[in-house]
Amino acid sequence: MPKLNTFCLYLAKPNVGSFDDLLTANAHGLLEGGVAKATSSSSFADAATLYTFPGFPQIPKWVPLLQASFAVPDRLFSQSPCAMVVFKKDGNIFALTFSYAHVYLDDAKTEASFGLKAAVNAVSDNKLRSVERSNIGDAIRDFAQSAGLRDLRSFGFDDALDLIRKVSGRATDNDFANLVTGARSLRFSKRIPLGDVPDAAVEAVALFKSKAYRKTTFRIIDFLSPVLDPVIEAELDDALVNAVRSGSDEFEIAIPEILPTGIGSFRFEHAGFSRFHPDLSVELYSTELGDRLARLTLSDLKKHTVAAYGENENTPFQHWSVYDALVGSLLHRGERYALNEGLWYGVGKTLKDSADRKFSDLCAKPDKKLRTLKKFYPSGGKSGKQKVAYQSEESYNAEIASETDYLLLDQKLVQIDEVPGPGIEVCDLLDIKGCRFIHVKKSSRQSSVLSHFFKQGSNSARMLRQYEPFKAGLIEVVSKHFGQARARELAKALANRWTIEFQIADFPRPDGTNNIPFFSKLTLKEEARNIEAMGFDVRLGFIRLARTL
């Protein structure tokens, strides 16, 4: 019986015409220079070529470290050869890589989702060994491995912004493989010799094309998926440049994350601009470009930066490329794609429609008591080159509380003995008469910031509903800062149905409407569902910022 072997398989795109087309420019150079070798075979699959790369002698990194204290023998080198078998079977071209030979494969020529889709059809969603995932909202990527076989939910997939990057588990069909791992490539273990791999590759293609996973929890890979194909990514980047040139309202610039106590001024840099702005937008960027807008390139978007300045600082404390700051979505070849923090994602229509619909349902009429944020010039003067900023959340909340009957709870934490830490903030403004817990966020279009904002409101709601000492702590805070009469008023009102309200200070889009990034809509939809399940209403509002040009 053959021993258990592990193979790493890639599938070429249909437009790849020859084996050499799969290789990188570096691989071609090594072949032309005689360093790498190609050996053809007509007896493997329908046709095949073996590419071998000898590696290069290198002194291991630990040698210089040891030489500081020891007499290390000369000529200690490491050399790692690798190999790749490219073959054709039943009309498809495949690549088998050994050691690090995958670095000589051109990613633009292989199917980006081949391994993942084949794997989710090959394994059971309740017999997984490991899962690698990433979360768009929190910008976290992690790997979880179980000692036994577990279902997908056990790995913590409970967020709308979780993406599956790689899965590993035992194949449901032992005739296909033993263990299977899928990402771009399909890695599978099976007791077969090399000569039987082409037949297994044909089975893998059938798994790749199967839609069976849509009847399992793996169906979430269709809702949101990273674009890993360099060709599609390049096409989307071209469409992005055209959208910015044409003044499309499909994209906006995400305001960089500001320090909690800082009041920011912003500026486009490395583009010949000098004006400071209290906020940023694609409209401002396009206006400053002037005649150069028609000649805008992808390179410009990646070279030009968005810089954030502190109130009394002359150098930016943080900056991003304009490309990384752009957020939005577009249709390409009939599919919806979204850009977030420099990365493209494919978005399922069902997911997009449900997020847009929930956002629309939650949007409320403006609260007239929540007036426009004030703008000022922290460095004096009103020249375009002087810094101009909007007031901070802390200042705004304090002023609103002084002008209305709302209670200021911003930074007034409820301390619970059993809960470690400095305490929990219930909300920023408390409207007892209107039964509203109001959370305020100053003009941010960064998905990770808004997603965290919505989660904070959800966590506060959960504590209020499920933990009586937290509710008692809130009443105590109100009594301490606003008197016993207001505390009694609150205690009585808490028996009513309350609203968790999110207020975002932002300027309208060019068409006069308000919006938030698509990925923030996903988080809002999920958190609103959780909050409503706890017996609260949810509303979303916008505090106007003056648009400045």
Side-chain angles (χ1 to χ4, degrees), residues 108-414:
K109 302 295 179 63
T110 62
E111 294 284 3
S113 61
F114 166 64
L116 180 63
K117 286 193 173 179
V120 297
N121 280 309
V123 304
S124 169
D125 60 351
N126 58 16
K127 292 185 178 180
L128 299 176
R129 179 63 54 83
S130 65
V131 175
E132 184 177 319
R133 66 175 180 173
S134 62
N135 185 282
I136 300 172
D138 296 331
I140 293 175
R141 186 163 182 162
D142 60 35
F143 174 82
Q145 181 169 313
S146 171
L149 299 178
R150 306 286 295 275
D151 65 85
L152 183 62
R153 298 292 183 190
S154 300
F155 289 91
F157 279 84
D158 58 359
D159 194 293
L161 302 185
D162 277 338
L163 304 176
I164 296 179
R165 298 281 189 171
K166 180 189 293 186
V167 297
S168 179
R170 191 171 297 279
T172 54
D173 182 1
N174 290 330
D175 290 336
F176 171 66
N178 186 344
L179 289 175
V180 174
T181 300
R184 176 178 286 273
S185 67
L186 179 68
R187 183 179 292 272
F188 63 98
S189 299
K190 191 173 183 179
R191 294 185 181 279
I192 56 172
L194 182 66
D196 290 345
V197 169
D199 290 333
V202 172
E203 293 182 63
V205 171
L207 289 168
F208 167 59
K209 295 180 178 180
S210 172
K211 306 300 181 184
Y213 70 90
R214 292 180 176 175
K215 297 180 180 179
T216 73
T217 52
F218 283 131
R219 64 184 181 276
I220 63 175
I221 69 173
D222 284 345
F223 297 164
L224 195 62
S225 57
V227 174
L228 303 176
D229 190 322
V231 174
I232 295 178
E233 184 179 17
E235 293 173 351
L236 292 171
D237 283 341
D238 287 342
L240 169 67
V241 173
N242 289 332
V244 176
R245 283 177 182 168
S246 65
S248 168
D249 62 358
E250 293 180 310
F251 290 89
E252 194 47 89
I253 288 182
I255 302 305
E257 183 176 356
I258 305 304
L259 294 176
T261 57
I263 299 176
S265 286
F266 308 97
R267 186 165 69 173
F268 297 104
E269 300 188 342
H270 302 105
F273 307 157
S274 59
R275 293 173 60 91
F276 281 92
H277 305 283
D279 211 335
L280 291 170
S281 70
V282 171
E283 185 181 4
L284 284 170
Y285 177 62
S286 299
T287 299
E288 294 230 46
L289 282 171
D291 294 340
R292 289 185 290 161
L293 178 61
R295 302 188 300 276
L296 183 72
T297 66
L298 180 64
S299 177
D300 291 332
L301 292 178
K302 294 187 175 183
K303 180 180 67 176
H304 299 168
T305 61
V306 173
Y309 287 79
E311 179 180 355
N312 299 309
E313 299 296 328
N314 294 319
T315 56
F317 59 78
Q318 203 159 0
H319 56 82
W320 296 258
S321 72
V322 170
Y323 181 85
D324 287 343
L326 284 165
V327 293
S329 67
L330 53 77
L331 278 172
H332 179 66
R333 297 186 180 181
E335 300 291 334
R336 173 66 61 174
Y337 293 90
L339 179 67
N340 189 71
E341 297 182 10
L343 297 174
W344 286 102
Y345 299 89
V347 180
K349 185 178 185 301
T350 300
L351 184 66
K352 181 185 183 301
D353 290 347
S354 65
D356 287 340
R357 185 166 53 251
K358 188 63 175 178
F359 169 76
S360 179
D361 291 344
L362 294 178
C363 283
K365 293 181 179 179
D367 182 340
K368 294 181 179 180
K369 293 183 179 181
L370 298 178
R371 54 155 176 77
T372 302
L373 251 75
K374 292 179 180 178
K375 183 178 64 178
F376 68 101
Y377 296 83
S379 56
K382 293 191 177 182
S383 166
K385 293 185 179 180
Q386 295 294 322
K387 292 181 182 177
V388 56
Y390 288 113
Q391 66 186 123
S392 66
E393 289 173 25
E394 180 182 0
S395 168
Y396 178 78
N397 290 333
E399 288 187 4
I400 293 298
S402 69
E403 298 167 3
T404 67
D405 58 350
Y406 299 165
L407 303 187
L408 179 65
L409 294 187
D410 186 9
Q411 301 184 47
K412 293 179 174 61
L413 307 181
V414 175

Side-chain angles (χ1 to χ4, degrees), residues 514-535:
N514 290 104
N515 211 340
I516 61 176
F518 169 73
F519 297 106
S520 297
K521 289 181 182 178
L522 284 183
T523 303
L524 175 64
K525 179 172 75 79
E526 293 296 308
E527 297 306 331
R529 182 186 63 185
N530 295 335
I531 294 170
E532 289 167 345
M534 290 183 280

Side-chain angles (χ1 to χ4, degrees), residues 414-424 463 467 469-474:
V414 175
Q415 180 64 58
I416 305 298
D417 293 338
E418 299 91 333
V419 179
I424 299 172
M463 292 293 289
Y467 196 61
F470 186 72
K471 188 183 298 184
L474 168 61

